[in-house]
Each structure stands twice: as structure tokens, then as C-alpha cells.
Amino acid sequence: MTLEPDRATRAELTSFIVEYLADWHDRAATMPASGHDLTSEELEYLQGPPAETGRDLASILEDLDLAGKAGILHPSGGHMSYIPNAGLYTAAMAEFLAAGLNRYTGVASAAPGFTAIEHGVVDWMTSLFDLGPDASGLLLSGGSMANLTGVVTARTTRLGDDFSDGVIYVTPHTHHSVAKAARIAGFRNDQILPLAVDADLRMDPESLRARVVSDRGSGRRPFLVVASAGTTDTGTVDRLHAIAQVAEDEGLWLHVDGAYGAFYQLTERGRTVLAGLERANSIALDPHKGLSIPFGVGALVVRDEADLVDAHLGRGAYLRAEDHYQGVRDIASLGPELSRPFRGLAVWLPLQLHGVAPFRDALDLSLDLAEHAHGRLATIDGVDARWRPDLSIVAFMFDDDDKGKAALEAVNRDRAVHISPTVVGGRFVLRLAILNRRTTVEHVDHAIDVIEKTLIG
Ligand SMILES: Cc1ncc(COP(=O)(O)O)c(C=O)c1O
């Protein structure tokens, strides 16, 4: 096929793909949560190089069918492992539209209106946290990039060019992308200090304070504390007010990793749990988690745009001298990317089409389901449900780790639901991560019924 298909061919291709997606979305409600493994021959076939001449779309989509049958099926409501994301048809349409338009949003002058739309999406996010008049931010590819951009901004603002004595405070439950971000940003492992957590798995603000004082006493430069607004392990939210107080007293930058949990700010219960988030210097939050936007959209919001610009501004002779156009800031000045997709459309279009309320309702439902799950688990003999969920991840242990491992296998065996484990303090922990808006009380009860049966034997 030519690189310039005519209108009729374009329409044919589009309707083929729309039909394909229509079937996929029709099946979403009844889809199993995990698929069957591919053989090594199938994997080898899928990795094959392209031929010199093309082939028809039907046979290409057959290969896609084959490739897609393995792994975790994210659209399924039974998916409660890791951090779920059902995806959103309207956001997929927006991404098709954005790629089809293929306009450049790295610099504002290239597409001032589109850049303004994207800034508007980020402004809406900063307004959720009341970050003040200088707040800003940008959309990135996900939480890892948001954490990296936050760490680099903190480093530049607080340490300058020589940061070999800087210290970053985390906990053993901080997402691994933070330590990875710190290493990419040039820190050694011994500059990333995991602080012990309390019995509720939260960072202890007074241990933080004591550690900062002692590190400073030994000539190091404490500059960044990373708190969690919902850990991946157990969904735990750190004591944000108390940590913000230590950060303010000790002159630390407070970055909050809310990649999973920060969008609960849309809900009343979430706002209570997340109180203090508004005191952060920067927050990572993922539309591709909390808002069901298809994978590839994360966000970083900051209290002061000047900090982002200091850390990321880059100019070239081939660019306009100013990094803004008609008052619209170049997104490239705020983060690591220059050429970038019009990511904002994938968030803006669904928000315009559906309004904010359905997103809030979906998050509220996940909080209800988590409460329900925890209530049931707490009554089961042999289950240790000591951690009441802060948000929508329900983590629990067994009086014997081997029973937990057997329960995990039993729950995932029939593929109706899929859950994943973690380790807390050396103990095997199961978790129901409820964030997929298609997850129902039946999915949750099915998982708990199987756990109960495994324990009875
Ligand atoms: C709390 C937290 N932070 C960061 C990340 C990394 O986000 P991403 O996978 O979008 O890079 C995750 C991913 O699950 C997460 O749960």
C-alpha cells in the first residue's frame, strides 16, 4: 500500500480498525482477567522483521489477535493486580485524533491553541491541589517520568551543579521509580536513604527530622523527601501534613508520588486522606491510572513554574528566542521532551465529553469496593487484615505465608480475576488493587470466596 492512501482506502482502514475495537470493547465486560501464554515459536514469529512489500490489514490484525491473547487483560474488571487501568474508548479516539492531526506541541508557536489546551488540562490538575498562583506542570509518559522530572527539578533548585553531598529520603515502600530516577539524575545509591516505616507502613516524620539533623551534622546536604500518596505495595498514604512540616522546617523539597493515589483528590473521602498534599513542592499523578486514560499519560505538577523552567530550559539557534508565544509557555521548557505527542488531547477530550463527575464516581466506587473487601477479609480466620485501606488497595497477610502463596495460585487459576503479591517486612502479602472502573462487587467477592475456600482446605 502506498504511503498516501486515498480517501476511500483511508475510510476502509479506519472502519476496519473501529470494528476491531468495537468487538474488543463489547467483550470487555466478560473478558477474563488474564490470557494464555504464547509458545516460544509464536513469540519468535511475532518478533520477525517486516517484509519488503506490505500485506493486508486483516492478516496484520490476526497477528495482533495472537499477540494480544497472552498476559494480563487490562480492560477486564477482574484485573486487580499491580495498578489496574481499564482504558477509555473516548481517550483512545482522542489519541487517534491527536496522532492523525500530528501537530507539534513541544514549542507553543508551532501549535499555540493545542499547547493552550494541554496547559488547561494541567491547570485543572494544579487547581485540585490548590498549589497557588505560580503552580504549573506538564504531561509526561507516566509516573516514572514524572518522578524523574520532579527529582531533577528538586536537585537543580536546591543543590545547583554540585550535588555529590545531597541526600534524598524515601521509605522501603516508595515506588522503585524514585530510586531509579535519582540514579538517572546522577545520584549514588548511598545518597538515597530509605527510612524505617511505622506499624502502619508510613514514613515516620520524627525519624525523618532526626535523620536530616544528623546527616547535616555530618556534612551532607539533605534536600529532598519523597512521600507517597498511595504506595503501590499497600496503597498507604504517608502523613503528608507532618512530613510537609518537617520539610518546611528543614528546608527540604517535598515531592509526593501520587502516581496511583493523587486523583482521589477528586473525591471527598480522598481529600480527607490526602490532606497536606497541597503543601508539596511537586506531585506526580497519573491520568493513566486514576483517570483510566490509556497508557502513556502521566503528569507532574509543581508549586512554582520557575523551578521547572530553571531545571529544563534549553535553547537552540534553530528555535525562536522566546520560550513562549502569546503568553503560552513552551512545554519543552518544563520537562525533558522536545518533540512530543499532543498528550493533552487524550485527557481533555474525555473530560469535555463526559465531564468530571463520572471520573469522580468511578474513584468513589473503588473506595466502596475496597472497604467492602477489607470488611470481609477481616472476618476470615487465618487472614491478617491489619491494614485498613487508605484508598483502594487492600493488602493482607496470612498466618502462614505458604497459605498466602496457595491462595494466590488458586485465585488466579480460573482467570476470572487476577491479583498480584508483594512483600512487606519479609512477609508474603496479597493485595486487591481496585482501580478498574469495571471491577464489580462480584469480582471482589469471587477473589475472596476462593481465598476463603483455600483456607478451609
Ligand atoms: C506509586 C507509583 N509511582 C510510580 C509508578 C510508576 O509509574 P509508571 O508505570 O507510569 O511509570 C507507579 C506505577 O505503578 C506507582 O504505582
Side-chain angles (χ1 to χ4, degrees):
M1 182 182 295
T2 153
L3 296 183
E4 291 295 359
D6 60 24
R7 187 178 179 120
T9 314
R10 289 199 305 271
E12 200 183 317
L13 291 171
T14 310
S15 72
F16 212 92
I17 290 197
V18 167
E19 279 306 303
Y20 185 84
L21 278 183
D23 285 346
W24 176 251
H25 280 260
D26 281 351
R27 278 177 17 227
T30 53
M31 194 178 276
S34 62
H36 294 266
D37 280 348
L38 293 166
T39 64
S40 47
E41 289 77 26
E42 286 170 330
L43 288 168
E44 202 176 316
Y45 167 72
L46 290 168
Q47 285 182 58
E52 198 51 40
T53 52
R55 57 182 169 132
D56 64 286
L57 186 57
S59 87
I60 297 168
L61 291 183
E62 268 172 34
D63 283 1
L64 206 62
D65 254 346
L66 169 68
K69 74 175 190 165
I72 301 166
L73 302 179
H74 284 82
S76 161
H79 176 215
M80 293 183 274
S81 50
Y82 308 102
I83 303 289
N85 171 18
L88 201 60
Y89 188 77
T90 53
M93 292 299 96
E95 290 193 351
F96 179 55
L97 197 55
L101 293 169
N102 194 32
R103 294 285 297 281
Y104 194 87
T105 58
V107 297
S109 58
F114 289 175
T115 311
I117 283 176
E118 189 153 328
H119 282 307
V121 167
V122 174
D123 288 348
W124 168 69
M125 291 179 194
T126 61
S127 73
L128 296 178
F129 304 104
D130 226 350
L131 286 178
D134 301 320
S136 178
L138 76 164
L139 300 183
L140 292 146
S141 61
S144 300
M145 284 303 293
N147 283 333
L148 174 61
T149 308
V151 167
V152 168
T153 306
R155 186 200 73 196
T156 308
T157 308
R158 296 297 162 97
L159 298 181
D161 288 340
D162 180 1
F163 47 88
S164 57
D165 51 1
V167 186
I168 302 170
Y169 300 93
V170 296
T171 79
H173 297 287
T174 307
H175 193 268
H176 77 272
S177 60
V178 172
K180 183 173 165 180
R183 287 197 308 276
I184 296 170
F187 292 97
R188 301 179 309 273
N189 283 327
D190 66 78
Q191 294 179 274
I192 309 157
L193 293 191
L195 299 168
V197 287
D198 64 16
D200 291 333
L201 310 179
R202 300 181 216 280
M203 181 184 282
D204 174 11
E206 287 319 310
S207 304
L208 169 65
R209 192 189 295 279
R211 193 61 213 246
V212 168
V213 170
S214 93
D215 284 337
R216 196 172 283 134
S218 54
R220 306 180 86 183
R221 278 199 294 166
F223 79 101
L224 168 62
V225 55
V226 180
S228 297
T231 61
T232 314
D233 281 330
T234 56
T236 305
V237 177
D238 282 323
R239 290 191 192 87
L240 299 175
H241 266 307
I243 292 168
Q245 195 54 52
V246 177
E248 281 164 32
D249 294 346
E250 301 297 335
L252 305 179
W253 178 285
L254 170 59
H255 175 74
V256 179
D257 181 359
Y260 148 64
F263 273 113
Y264 281 97
Q265 184 77 1
L266 284 170
T267 69
E268 206 180 316
R269 281 174 285 180
R271 281 194 293 281
T272 306
V273 173
L274 297 170
L277 193 46
E278 68 285 355
R279 294 171 71 178
N281 296 93
S282 54
I283 306 169
L285 68 162
D286 273 354
H288 73 191
K289 295 185 175 73
L291 298 182
S292 276
I293 305 302
F295 293 115
V297 189
L300 176 75
V301 294
V302 299
R303 174 167 302 287
D304 190 344
E305 182 172 82
D307 295 333
L308 270 186
V309 175
D310 275 355
H312 296 98
L313 184 71
R315 306 312 294 160
Y318 36 79
L319 296 175
R320 286 163 38 86
E322 302 80 30
D323 78 324
H324 50 85
Y325 183 77
Q326 289 188 304
V328 181
R329 174 80 75 182
D330 291 356
I331 297 174
S333 301
L334 305 175
E337 298 173 308
L338 179 58
S339 300
R340 60 193 300 286
F342 180 17
R343 234 174 238 126
L345 194 57
V347 185
W348 182 77
L349 187 143
L351 283 171
Q352 298 292 317
L353 206 53
H354 308 291
V356 175
F359 293 96
R360 176 180 301 111
D361 293 347
L363 290 167
D364 257 326
L365 177 65
S366 69
L367 294 175
D368 292 342
L369 290 175
E371 234 176 272
H372 167 79
H374 182 258
R376 266 199 74 186
L377 286 162
T379 65
I380 300 176
D381 255 2
V383 169
D384 176 347
R386 66 178 72 180
W387 304 300
R388 181 174 283 282
D390 281 343
L391 296 168
S392 67
I393 294 176
V394 189
F396 51 101
M397 300 188 279
F398 293 79
D399 51 15
D400 169 353
D401 283 2
D402 285 340
K403 287 186 191 163
K405 289 173 191 166
L408 172 67
E409 236 189 272
V411 169
N412 288 346
R413 194 172 299 134
D414 71 3
R415 302 174 193 274
V417 299
H418 192 267
I419 62 173
S420 61
T422 189
V423 175
V424 175
R427 295 291 312 280
F428 184 82
V429 166
L430 285 189
R431 47 198 287 294
L432 300 178
I434 304 168
L435 191 60
N436 180 322
R437 67 176 182 287
R438 296 194 183 108
T439 298
T440 61
V441 72
E442 284 78 23
H443 290 115
V444 171
D445 279 343
H446 177 73
I448 298 175
D449 289 347
V450 176
I451 290 166
E452 227 172 355
K453 267 190 213 135
T454 323
L455 286 174
I456 292 163

